[in-house]
Amino acid sequence: MKILFLNLPYKFNISRASRWPEKTKSGTLYYPYWLAYCVGVCKEKGIEVNLIDCITRNFTLDDTLNAISSYGPDYIVCETTTPTCSYDYITINEIKNKFPNIKIICGGTHPTILPEEVLNKCKGIDIVVRQEYDFTVPEIIQAGNGHIVDDNHLKDIEGISYRTSEGSIVHNIDRPLVDLDKLPWVSKVYEEFLNYDDYAYAFAQKPMIQIISSRGCPNKCNFCSYPSTMGGRLYRLRSVDDLVDEIEYILKEIPEIKEIFIEDDTFTVNKKRIMDFCDEIIKRNLKPVWSCNTRVDLDYETMAKMKQAGCRLLVCGYESGNQEVLDKTKKGITLEQSRNFAKAAHKLDIKVFGCFMIGLTGDNLETINQTYEFAKEVYPDMCFFQQAVPFPGTEFYNWAKNNGYLITEDYSKWLNEDGYLNCLVDYPYASPKEIEKIRDNLMSKYYFSFAYIFKTFIANLTWEELKRNVRGGSQYISFRIKKTLHKSNNE
């Protein structure tokens, strides 16, 4: 049995593995890491696999069909997301029409939360794999004992929803979440199937690599989709030795990698484990450059140890400059923690990418302005102002829908014609267009201020930091110019 893992083609560069799937901005493009981890598990179980990233190869649908024909798989595994699903369904159905005997397995955030809807709307999908599917996919393949699986093979496999030969839909019980030390190193999968130069973060040195050290998030932010879909709220960890072993492998075997990004929902939940991780890095005399997602409750002592162990940048969600809004979104942080976090990072010379949202539960025009003023106060090296998006499965989605604020459940309208996420909530205090205008103005005011430009391009930048900022900045400026021209042409 042969499996072809496909990061499906799209009409522009998009990161389906991102928590924010939309057209690439500032050069950011994620590895298809959920697919890649599953590829590694299948390889370890002796299954013949291939992984093709149609996005980085600029594949058209015809290119994709030719690649499928050339490889001749028995199964195709792909992912879809809420913003991309309408387009992905067309692609999947075209694949099924051309290759009716290939079983198509689909996972990701959207199928996890809406498996019946996905199977009903996309007849080309045979099986949905819900949540983490690393071990679900090989179990499906092996259940057939060398043959394509049928209904009888599937009835006892946990974590799947599927269409029977009679056309009915069956939902099996959920699968227990993965023991992460059983996962192979994803860096080896990238090494075999992908090109490191194809992927980048705007805030990371290039080439970079994404790995995970934990899954699940115990925090309860009401707008975050991953804990509600893929990883759950049960926080699970790789052992420190296994994680540092992979980092050591990357440093020795893939020396061209300049930065390792630890793509956990929140890397710093367990402070003792972080200290142990850093101590192990230092004990082995390794010199990685790495970055991670964190929360602003990170204390100075832990942050200092992370800096000593090679941490260059922290990505954090400040979200709002109003405490009541933070409380209503169940963020679980205080403004004072955010201030202390910013001061500690500045003192230790750790870069900060700060995320801010507008249109959160409890927001209004005054609190949005407070958020901007707070952003200027904590002054991250890079920041992101974005409208809150009601992803299915989140409390924010339910809040927007129940209050009559959700403007559409037609997922084909989630992305605008330029490929960026629309504002999907019509607030009592601002229309979707007004929210988008506010968002764009906040980004411009922050990034094009003299103080920010001086800080970024003049004050003590290394050559690597200068290259990264010029690359990201030029791409963002190009994005804004195109958007302004497009707006002018439509007026």
Side-chain angles (χ1 to χ4, degrees), residues 60-212:
T60 63
L61 175 60
D62 285 342
D63 294 330
T64 304
L65 295 174
N66 289 336
I68 295 169
S69 179
S70 177
Y71 186 65
D74 302 288
Y75 296 86
I76 287 173
V77 179
C78 59
E79 287 189 339
T80 190
T81 70
T82 303
T84 66
C85 66
S86 296
Y87 189 94
D88 293 340
Y89 294 162
I90 295 170
T91 301
I92 292 168
N93 286 334
E94 288 289 341
I95 293 172
K96 189 59 137 182
N97 289 338
K98 183 76 179 288
F99 306 102
N101 294 324
I102 296 177
K103 286 279 189 183
I104 298 180
I105 302 170
C106 187
T109 53
H110 193 75
T112 289
I113 205 68
L114 297 169
E116 184 142 357
E117 178 180 303
V118 168
L119 287 166
N120 280 326
K121 288 194 172 182
C122 186
K123 300 303 182 182
I125 297 174
D126 299 291
I127 304 168
V128 160
V129 283
R130 305 190 308 267
Q131 291 190 286
E132 301 169 356
Y133 54 82
D134 315 82
F135 292 91
T136 310
V137 169
E139 186 175 335
I140 292 169
I141 310 309
Q142 293 174 333
N145 293 315
H147 302 280
I148 298 293
V149 291
D150 58 26
D151 298 352
N152 190 56
H153 297 128
L154 297 175
K155 63 184 177 62
D156 295 322
I157 296 177
E158 297 172 334
I160 67 171
S161 300
Y162 61 97
R163 186 182 298 102
T164 68
S165 55
E166 288 80 27
S168 61
I169 292 174
V170 176
H171 304 287
N172 292 357
I173 63 171
D174 288 342
R175 173 177 292 269
L177 295 171
V178 172
D179 176 352
L180 300 187
D181 277 345
K182 292 182 178 179
L183 290 176
W185 295 347
V186 75
S187 52
K188 291 186 176 182
V189 177
Y190 299 156
E191 197 173 12
E192 181 174 356
F193 296 103
L194 303 177
N195 182 345
Y196 306 112
D197 285 329
D198 289 337
Y199 306 94
Y201 275 145
F203 49 72
Q205 298 176 111
K206 189 177 180 182
M208 53 76 71
I209 196 169
Q210 285 172 287
I211 64 173
I212 63 104

Side-chain angles (χ1 to χ4, degrees), residues 268 271 294-300 302-303 306 314 341 344:
T268 55
K271 304 297 174 60
T294 186
R295 282 168 60 87
V296 300
D297 58 3
L298 184 62
D299 62 272
Y300 182 88
T302 307
M303 197 185 296
M306 291 166 67
L314 298 170
F341 174 90

Side-chain angles (χ1 to χ4, degrees), residues 222-223 319-331 357 359-364 367-368 370-371:
N222 76 345
F223 52 81
E319 314 306 1
S320 176
N322 179 279
Q323 188 61 55
E324 186 177 347
V325 171
L326 291 173
D327 294 342
K328 286 185 176 180
T329 60
K330 301 181 180 179
K331 184 66 184 176
M357 283 196 184
L360 291 166
T361 310
D363 249 337
N364 54 49
T367 61
I368 289 172
Q370 289 170 0
T371 294

Side-chain angles (χ1 to χ4, degrees), residues 276-395:
D276 291 344
F277 164 76
C278 293
D279 285 338
E280 187 65 20
I281 291 280
I282 294 164
K283 184 179 80 172
R284 297 192 196 186
N285 198 32
L286 303 177
K287 303 295 181 184
V289 176
W290 58 277
S291 47
C292 66
N293 296 312
T294 186
R295 282 168 60 87
V296 300
D297 58 3
L298 184 62
D299 62 272
Y300 182 88
E301 179 188 12
T302 307
M303 197 185 296
K305 179 69 74 167
M306 291 166 67
K307 171 71 174 181
Q308 187 182 357
C311 180
R312 185 190 71 87
L313 177 138
L314 298 170
V315 181
C316 69
Y318 291 114
E319 314 306 1
S320 176
N322 179 279
Q323 188 61 55
E324 186 177 347
V325 171
L326 291 173
D327 294 342
K328 286 185 176 180
T329 60
K330 301 181 180 179
K331 184 66 184 176
I333 61 172
T334 67
L335 296 178
E336 192 59 28
Q337 285 176 321
S338 291
R339 293 184 180 100
N340 291 336
F341 174 90
K343 290 174 185 175
H346 179 72
K347 184 175 181 180
L348 292 166
D349 193 27
I350 296 178
K351 302 293 182 185
V352 173
F353 184 95
C355 301
F356 300 90
M357 283 196 184
I358 62 175
L360 291 166
T361 310
D363 249 337
N364 54 49
L365 294 179
E366 182 181 353
T367 61
I368 289 172
N369 185 62
Q370 289 170 0
T371 294
Y372 177 70
E373 294 301 320
F374 189 71
K376 291 196 297 180
E377 180 184 345
V378 294
Y379 206 23
D381 300 273
M382 293 143 282
C383 78
F384 181 57
F385 292 96
Q386 189 57 281
Q387 76 277 10
V389 176
F391 290 104
T394 64
E395 288 185 43

